[in-house]
Amino acid sequence: MTLEEAKKRIAELSQILEDANYSYYVLAESNITDQEFDSYLRELEDLEKEFPLLAKSNSPTKRVGGLVIDKFSKIKHQIPMLSLPDVFNEEEIKAFDERIRKSGYNPTYVCELKIDGVSGSFHYEDGNLITGATRGDGITGEDITHNVRTIKSLPLKLKKKISIEVRGEIYMAKETLAKLNRERELNGEGILQNPRNATAGSIRQLDSSVAAKRNLDTWIYHLPNPLDYGIKTQYESLEFMKSLGFKVNPCNRLVKNISEILSYIHEYNEKRESLPYDIDGVVIKVNDLNMQQSLGFTSKYPRWAVAYKFPALEVLTKLKDIVFTVGRTGRITPNAVLDPVLVMGSTIRRASLHNEDYVREKDLRIGDVVSIRKAGDVIPEVVEAKLERRNGSERPFKMIENCPICGSKLSKKEGQVDHYCFNPLCPAKHIEGLIHYVSRHAMNIDGFGEKIMEDFFNLGFIRKIPDIYHLEKHRKDLIELEGFGNKSVDNLLEAITISKSNSLERLLFGLGIGGIGDKTALLLAKTYKTIDELASKSVLELQEKKDIGPILANNIYEYFQNEENQKLIEELKELGINMTYTGEEEVENDLLNEKKFVVTGTISFMGRDEIERILEKYGAHSSSSVSSKTDFVIVGDNPGSKYQKAIDLKIDIWDEEKLRSILEELKEI
Ligand code: IVH
């Protein structure tokens, strides 16, 4: 075969295979048999092997995967990928509609199913798929092109030779997930809790043949640059994307008013169980794109669309036991121990019963059949006992009288319903210190909320700081815990390991030495560089530093003189915790050095703490109130009165754009 002939045949075969893919995966009808498909594919593979220069990156042979990357690169979204504000009931939908009408419009809407997957952005040039990216933080996402190419319903080549970006949801069908989980169970691997997690895990694989095996799918629903194609409404853009070969959901519907919106919601709430993929609500979008444009955006969301979330599902299970835990304040909580049930994709084993009165009002008895409710990511709750299911074997609830940790007599605070252990020496008091130790400004161990630490304490896994570093021993038990899968346990253990090399100031703050806030901890770490150096200083020496007064100096000195504390530090050293200052040195910058600034309102692309941390690195100082001494005020969405004050005092105001350009210049984003 000549090169010319091969080129022609490769083009022919690619076309046949892509048409077959389109018919099967987008239109759900097949135009050729599996055998025919396989034989064309094999012929194409052979030709590409023989003429490697003719093998295109968009060849249908790439759909089976095989490309392995060593890390994910970042892709900056030309237009930010925003999410939508949630609404939960009729009133909130009406309020949304009224807000738009108040702006002088008479809108029609498009109702779309809210697919429970992971959103993606797909770029085409001259009709060829070039990149696929995740949403990431909305500003930059991860390049997942190698995996996206394996999604059969996503065209590698469009029906027109145009350049375009489309966005939509990558998802895993219910059946695919069930099959995958059956295989995982056989292989002794953990179960993937819901299609969203399964999808996210699949598209974040470095090896595209893994993603290829997961049979991911797409629904395309958003065209970020409609005006470039002369499109005037959302509904037209859906039609347009469909005509290019994308899989566009047939349930999308143009509606004229609230009552049509409500009947759409009602219809799909009923149909939801029978759909082959998971949906968690309905997205309502203003149809007219001009109207959309003039309604604009808040810093986080478009003003022209909302996501209605379906109400929680209820399921029945058995209340096996009620166990008591102690919180960081000594508060006692009864907890329902349940026969594990799957509610909306996650297995529920436990639910808080809050306090004695709560259990009595619901008249919960051990052995009862109870209904459980869980909405989205919200904490599960026990709704009620099914009285008609009682058979007399149920045991009445009995409140405990003594602390389950130290045995002291429990009592209530005046006029309150909760029981407390008031023993100041109760080991449960350590929970507070432990929570502080792992918190964001201290050792910053991701995945350790307050609740988790309370649970670990009550289970006896963590009773003192060094236990955190032995958590590995309880790996098996942890995986069993509510909300903890294999992956989150791995993440937590990894976060613990990573935190060992934190710079000294985090440890100093985390130890909870009286009077040492995060700023003082940083000052001490920068000054003395190692914990041993700091521990060797006398009260007078410590006071030499301008911000350290006599009380603080004394606290520090006493802390390091205490034998228990010395033992703790030795133990932590042995566990490999870094005790040296390795933080960033301040960088000279004229614009920021010694400048006082205030942040007010929400900045869409970065948290306030992060902004402060970065600017402080360049010598600026954050403060919480605006005065004539303030040099500049950073203003985000919904700013407070500080914004007005800054205007009144004629202080330099930085909006999001300005902040972003400065951070970009500093190469911080
Ligand atoms: S529109 C600016 N339409 O829900 C418009 N989103 O909270 C952006 N989603 O991040 C999104 N189905 O991942 C849109 N038909 C649909 C959707 C949908 C699912 C997801 C998407 C988005 C989140 C919104």
Side-chain angles (χ1 to χ4, degrees), residues 82-84 112-115 119 169 221 283 285 302 304:
L82 301 181
S83 62
L84 299 174
E112 298 174 17
L113 299 182
K114 187 167 185 302
I115 317 296
S119 53
E169 206 78 356
Y221 50 66
V283 178
K285 302 175 182 173
W304 42 263

Side-chain angles (χ1 to χ4, degrees), residues 582-593:
T582 57
E584 291 152 338
E585 293 297 337
E586 275 178 18
V587 189
E588 286 284 320
N589 180 294
D590 286 346
L591 181 69
L592 295 168
N593 197 25

Side-chain angles (χ1 to χ4, degrees), residues 233-281:
T233 65
Q234 166 64 10
Y235 202 75
E236 271 175 45
S237 66
L238 293 169
E239 292 285 304
F240 176 60
M241 293 188 288
K242 193 165 140 196
S243 75
L244 294 175
F246 290 107
K247 199 172 161 199
V248 174
N249 198 301
C251 308
N252 298 334
R253 185 180 299 165
L254 198 56
V255 298
K256 287 195 291 297
N257 49 40
I258 293 279
S259 101
E260 288 185 4
I261 294 178
L262 296 177
S263 54
Y264 183 90
I265 289 176
H266 181 73
E267 180 179 332
Y268 282 99
N269 195 19
E270 299 279 296
K271 286 186 182 157
R272 117 183 239 219
E273 295 276 341
S274 62
L275 287 172
Y277 45 88
D278 267 1
I279 58 172
D280 56 351

